[in-house]
Each structure stands twice: as C-alpha cells, then as structure tokens.
Amino acid sequence: MTPFTTKQLEDALTAKLTLNFGKSTDEASDQEMMKACALVLRDVMAIRGVEAVKEMRRYRKKQVHYMSLEFLIGRSLMKNAYNLGVLSELKEALEHLGFKASDIFEAEPDAGLGNGGLGRLAACYLDSMTTLDIPATGYSICYELGIFKQKIVEGQQVELPDNWMELGGSAWLLPKPDEAQEVLFGGNVRQFWNDGRLHIVQEDASKVLAVPCDMVVAGYGTKNVNTLRLWDAKPVKSVDMDLFARGEYLKASEEEAMAETITKILYPEDNHYEGKSLRLKQQYFFVSATVQSIVTRHLATYGTLRNFHEKNVIQINDTHPALVVPELMRILVDEAGMEWDDAWEITRQSVAYTNHTVLAEALERWPQNLMATLLPRVWQIVLEISRRWQEKVEEFYHHDYNKTAKMAIVWDGEVRMANLCIAGGSTVNGVSALHSDILRRDVFKEAYGMEPEKFQNVTNGIDHRRWLSEINPRLDAFIQELTGGPEYLLHPSALKKLDAYADDASALERLDKIKRQNKEEFCAHVNRKRNMTLDPSAIFDVQVKRLHEYKRQLLNVLHIIALYQSLQDNPNCIEQSQIFLFGAKAAPGYAVAKRIIRLINSLSDQIEHDPICKDKLKVVFLENYRVSLAERLMPASEVSQQISTAGKEASGTGNMKFMMNGALTVGTLDGANVEMHELLGDENMFLFGLRAEEVEQMKREGYISQRLYHSDPKLQRCLDALRHGFRDGVSYEDLYQRLLFGAGGSMADEYFLLADFAAYCDAEKRMAKTYVNRKAWNRMSLHNIARSGLFAADRSIAEYADNIWHVPHKSLE
C-alpha cells in the first residue's frame, strides 16, 4: 500500500520545489515545503481518484452524496500521509532534506470550512466512507475566509479574517472550471406550451458561476479515494467592458464583487435583511450547483433520470441544504419534462435528512417574501410541495388545525425548512438515542405519528484513526501492544480487549505515564505560543466547544467562582491543583455568548493576580480554538466537561474524542452521554443534574430561579460576584439579571444553571477526590478507552449504509 519510499519522497519533493516554486531545498521556506508536500500527496490521490471513478462507472455503483454547509477538516497533510501509509517516510524525507517535520506540519493552516461539531462530523464521515470503500462525494462551499480567526483583546473576542487559502490551504484544491454550473437568482418565471407540454423558464435572472474546487480524500488501508467538492462563486462576466470604457470602474466590476460575496465567509450575520438574503443565496448556490453536478454526471453514465434514485442518495446534514428537494424537483419537472408525481417519487427516494438540533431557533425558517423574490421558480415549487403535503396532513389528522399548523411547510409568512426535509425525504434520523427519541415524541411528534417508518437513529461517531491513533501515538502504541496489533484501526470494537487489563498495575502505571507526557507536551506548546506556564501535575479540566448558552460554559464559570471564594475563606481547601481550560468561538452577533467569553477572561485575570491561587487554581482561555489545537489538547485532557442542559444537545462529538483519549466525563445525561453512561455505568464517569424529563416537568410547574438564589448562600454569593465584577472593573450585571429575572422575553435561567449548580459542584468535588487515587483514576480511564469503540465513525457510516443508503461497504467484523 505504500506509494513511496523515503528516497522517492525526497526526490518528489525536490522536483516539486524546483518545478512549482523555482527553489532548491536550501532556498525553500517551511511554507513552500508544506505546499510541495501537499502537491506530491495530492498527485498520488488524484491518480487513485481517476481509477476509483472508472471502477464506479464500470460497475455502475450507487453513489452517496453528502451535503453539508460545513466541512471542518482542519489540517490535511499529516492526515493524508497517515491514511496513505507514508507518514513516517514523509517525516524522514523532510528531516533528510534539512527541514524539521513538526515545523512543516505546523505551517499548514486549518481549512476554514466550518465552525463546530456539524462540520467536524462531516469530515469524519467522509474519511470513514472512503475507508469503508463506499463511493461518495462530500459537497460544501469554498469559503474564502472561513468562519473567522478569533483574537482576544482586553478579554473580549475580536473577529479577524481567516485567510486559510492564501496561507497554503489552496494547495490541496483541484479547480475544475470545465464542470462549472450556472446558478440563477431573481428574475421572472415565464410559462408557455410547446410540443404538447408546459415549459417553464426563469428570465431576466442574475447569473452566478459555481466553479468546483475538488479536494481528494484518501481512505485508510484502501486504494479507494473520494472527493470533497467545494463550490467557489465567480461572475459569468468579470468586467462590464462598456461601463469600464466610460470610466465607471467600480460599477464595471460590481457583478464580480456581488458573486464573490456569496463564498466570502461562513454564516454571515443574519439579523438584518441583507444578511438573511446572503445566507439564502449561499444555501441555494450550494444546493443548485451540487444537484446540477450530480444530475450531469448521472446523465453522462446512464442517459436517463428515471433511475436517478436507484443510483444516488443525497444525505443532507441539517437543514442548510434543504432546498435540494425543490431544486431536484425543478430539474426533473422543468428540464427533464417529468410529471409531478414521477418526479416527486424519485426525489423522495433520493433524499435523506439528518437532524442535528431540538432548539426551535435552530430549525431554519425563511421569510416567504424573500424566497419568492430571490428564488421565484423554487418558491413556486415549494408552494406546490406545501399544498400537497398539507392536504396529506389534513386527511391523516382529520383537519386538526393545531397539527396542520405545526407540520405545514409554508405557514404564517415563513418557509419551514425542517418540515420541507421531512416531507421530501425518505428518512429522518437523529444523532443519538436520546435525541432521536425527543424528535419522535416532541419536536416532530406529529410527523412521526403520520410516517413512523421514516424515523431512525444513527448515533454520531468520530474518526478514531485521527482522534486517537494519529494525534496520540503513545496511547496508540500502548493499545496495539495490549490488544495484539493494529486491529482496532479498522475494527474499533477490538478496543474492548483493554478491559482485561483493568487490574494490571503495570498497565495502569504506563497509562498514567502516557497522560503525564502528553500533558508536558501541551504545557510546552502553550509556553511557546503564549509565554504561559502550566503545571503538568494539575488536573486538566477542559471545556472546549462552540459557545452557546445551552452548552453551559457559564455553569462551569459559576463553579470556578465558588471554588475561588472557598479559597478566600480557607487557603488550604484545595489539595490538588486544578487548571480549567476553555476554548470556544461565539457567533459574531451572539452578544450573550461574547459576554461569557469576557467573563471567563475576567475571572482568569482575577485568579492569576491573586497569590492565594498560586499552584492551586488557574483558568486559561485558549484563543482561536480549532481542529489543530484540539489535536494537541485532547491527548493531554483529563476531565471532559459535557454539561449541557439535559434534552438540548443532540449528540456531541467532543465527548467521544475525550473518552477515546482517556479523559473522564463530568456530565449530564444529555446527547450521546446517555449511551456513554450505558457503556460505562455510574462508576466510570461523574454524572450530575436534572434529566431531560425533569427539566420539562420543572418548566411545566413554573421554574423560579430566584428561590434557589435565596435558599443557597453559596450560590447567592457566587451570583453577587457577577454584579460586582473582578479586578478589571467590568460588571456582569446583565448575566446576573438573565439568570434571575430573564431577558428579552425569555424565562429566567432558561437553561437551568442554578437548578443544577449544587449537583455540579458536588460532581466536581467527587472528581477531584477520585483524581488523588491514581490507581482508581487510571482504571476508570482505561475503561473509557476500552469502551469507546462504539463511537467510531466507521460504525456510524456502516449503519447509514445498511439502513438508509442501502449501499455495500467493507465489513467491520
């Protein structure tokens, strides 16, 4: 399977530097060498890609098309070298050529194609699809500036452009301008009869060119490769020469500027009309280009669209690609001339929908006037889908107004994208057992009652080869030695063999040593990057994830405040030093989330300047949290904070990464924590807090957070500290008010932080006490690693393949 020896790699890299950069190895910079490495590996994968496409067409295999507005792939150089089986050879070649391999890997920017778990999941799944020999293509947008680069200035988040492509990320991309697609916006719809059938055309529309930039993805232990197709927006005409000749230079380039705005950044702020319009443009641009591309390739192979659903399945990752339903209908009806019912059956059997949220505000809804103006033909099709779906609902539920109102696609001036996905798809799946249960009995209760066969569960999974073997080589070597080799890399259930060593003192001591070495490496990294000293003997207590109120970073902060206040009262109350590490980005328009980031930094500053806390308590906010930083942090982490309000987190994937690397969970029974608990039991994690049904019961009975404030002196003192602020002089009266009185029409303490506060503090106390018993802690850590195989993405993809996509795959047994 090895495509290169060390010597062959040296020669290939030297040639790339000469031909592509006009440099010798003595002259080349780390950045240029990184690009040369990418180009060499890209060539290998491109050749394999041509062969994979030939095989797929030869055997007419069914294809999976995975659509996600985010693909958070991080860095690709080490991952591709690992999957191709040349990582050690590449490191040796770089060293022989006079470069430090670690510096070359560090020179690669993270690809700015996502924000959080949704995009990271998509990246893991594409890797597993490739490894399991499933013909698949991922689709997303080629964001020029990604989400944003986070800078902390005076404790506050500042968003900066993330020029990931200019810094070297573009080396992986293969532009395919000959496969560009035209996407239409606005204009008018004209209907006319000709040749005995109705023709529908969109006239006077603005046209944008969608140019594919392909990124080839290598699988592990296979010659199979797949493609991540990223769409870049270009004008049909870059400059209006008439306007330019008249001296109207800015106006002459207006079409180019407007087109390129579509792919400028991920998730433009949408609290104004222009932002909403740009977001809808992004989604339709992405969907239309993708569906046209799939249809074009299908017709080239089969010459008809009548069998489209037999040879293609389109998996839409959340509601962002929901317009795939009316867009596929548009092509089948308007361009292929099919009857509505035939087109609808093909569409319905071709599309599958993964839901990722139970939060009402995250279930996308678009103003119908905006859709009608921006996408006039799609709007007509959505209206017809909505009319037919509503008739079906009313017939099934005997014209029950409340059920119709909840299930309607177009209602009260809005287009409800989740309902469009349910109506137009063959399956709807949640991403953890608890989440899928909530979808069935609450969020989509009525749709489940009408079409129960559509609803399934596929619990999320992670790429364990990347998130364990690649990033934690010491632990990988330990696992392979104890389990008898590399079996777990393709058969993750083999990790169970580790359970047999739970009482092996030598194995537990080695595990402890591995964790300590990983912590020391992370401390050295933080010292290099931030000139900050961390104590590797302290507990590394970590919460890293997107900043949202339901994820309850604020609950973590309240506990730290309480711990700090305890130190003021008794400087000897903390026996084991503890470092709390946070990493999170807040959406630019999410004011409360940004205030919580500032609070974390205010508290960090207060503790850092208080001599009582020295060698006992520290708070660190890790700036610009991203995949490459997570890859350094996960192997060093000891405590995984998974403390979302029960019933709010769909699944989570960070919890799985921590578990695989031996961190112990402090968490609620939410998302995939429930399945983790089933595997681990109470004895191998630190559970606390209300359960999902208890949260709902408290809501129904009328939860009043002020009662807890007045009855718990510890909590009261903690909350009062928010009002008074810390040494930087910033008051957090707004957060105090939000917890006790509510804000903007929302209930007080909407996410039940105060209700879970005492239980959370107790769980943290139990965790710290257990940590001191190193044998017990390491045994728990070993059990976590041993039972984490269930959360491998390979298992998730095998379930999708068997139960939703109906495609063959490599066996996991």
Side-chain angles (χ1 to χ4, degrees), residues 520-770:
E520 288 171 352
E521 278 192 1
F522 183 75
C523 291
H525 172 76
V526 171
N527 187 260
R528 283 195 308 272
K529 294 294 184 180
R530 293 187 51 175
N531 194 28
M532 176 188 290
T533 301
L534 301 182
D535 177 10
S537 67
I539 304 172
F540 278 22
D541 196 328
V542 183
Q543 188 176 21
V544 286
K545 52 184 74 236
R546 180 169 55 90
L547 204 307
H548 195 289
E549 288 168 274
Y550 85 83
K551 294 178 184 288
R552 302 205 294 189
Q553 284 94 342
L554 184 54
L555 176 59
N556 193 346
V557 172
L558 293 178
H559 165 253
I560 299 170
I561 292 173
L563 206 57
Y564 174 64
Q565 291 172 336
S566 297
L567 266 179
Q568 305 300 306
D569 300 338
N570 176 13
N572 298 316
C573 70
I574 294 180
E575 297 179 13
Q576 173 63 50
S577 176
Q578 200 161 349
I579 299 176
F580 292 90
L581 295 135
F582 291 87
K585 289 182 178 179
Y590 194 172
V592 177
K594 295 175 93 167
R595 285 288 286 167
I596 293 170
I597 287 177
R598 188 170 192 182
L599 171 60
I600 294 168
N601 285 294
S602 288
L603 180 58
S604 173
D605 177 69
Q606 177 74 27
I607 290 171
E608 188 66 23
H609 286 84
D610 192 331
I612 290 177
C613 300
K614 183 175 172 57
D615 298 327
K616 293 181 179 178
L617 186 62
K618 193 178 187 74
V619 176
V620 178
F621 187 88
L622 298 168
E623 182 181 81
N624 199 35
Y625 183 67
R626 58 203 183 279
V627 173
S628 57
L629 183 52
E631 289 173 334
R632 291 184 177 274
L633 177 62
M634 295 290 173
S637 299
E638 295 174 295
V639 179
S640 165
Q641 294 282 343
Q642 307 298 331
I643 60 176
S644 54
T645 311
K648 295 297 182 184
E649 185 72 82
S651 172
T653 52
N655 47 2
M656 302 169 187
K657 293 163 193 163
F658 282 114
M659 181 186 184
M660 276 189 181
N661 283 278
L664 304 188
T665 300
V666 173
T668 52
L669 277 174
D670 194 27
N673 289 359
V674 175
E675 284 142 291
M676 287 168 59
H677 178 247
E678 290 173 357
L679 293 168
L680 295 168
D682 290 345
E683 65 274 18
N684 290 305
M685 58 193 303
F686 303 97
L687 285 180
F688 75 94
L690 299 168
R691 303 195 176 209
E693 60 272 19
E694 292 171 329
V695 170
E696 293 306 313
Q697 183 179 348
M698 287 184 73
K699 279 184 182 178
R700 288 192 301 269
E701 293 175 353
Y703 170 57
I704 301 174
S705 61
Q706 292 175 49
R707 291 176 181 169
L708 293 166
Y709 173 81
H710 291 298
S711 64
D712 184 345
K714 180 179 177 180
L715 176 60
Q716 185 175 126
R717 183 183 177 192
C718 186
L719 289 173
D720 287 346
L722 294 180
R723 307 185 78 180
H724 302 141
F726 302 99
R727 67 184 292 275
D728 60 4
V730 179
S731 168
Y732 295 92
E733 174 77 25
D734 53 333
L735 298 179
Y736 172 90
Q737 293 286 335
R738 200 173 192 87
L739 290 171
L740 293 178
F741 305 103
S746 64
M747 63 180 280
D749 191 21
E750 183 178 3
Y751 296 104
F752 293 81
L753 281 70
L754 308 193
D756 277 346
F757 175 77
Y760 178 53
C761 291
D762 179 65
E764 278 284 304
K765 190 178 293 183
R766 284 186 281 123
M767 178 277 296
K769 184 178 179 181
T770 305

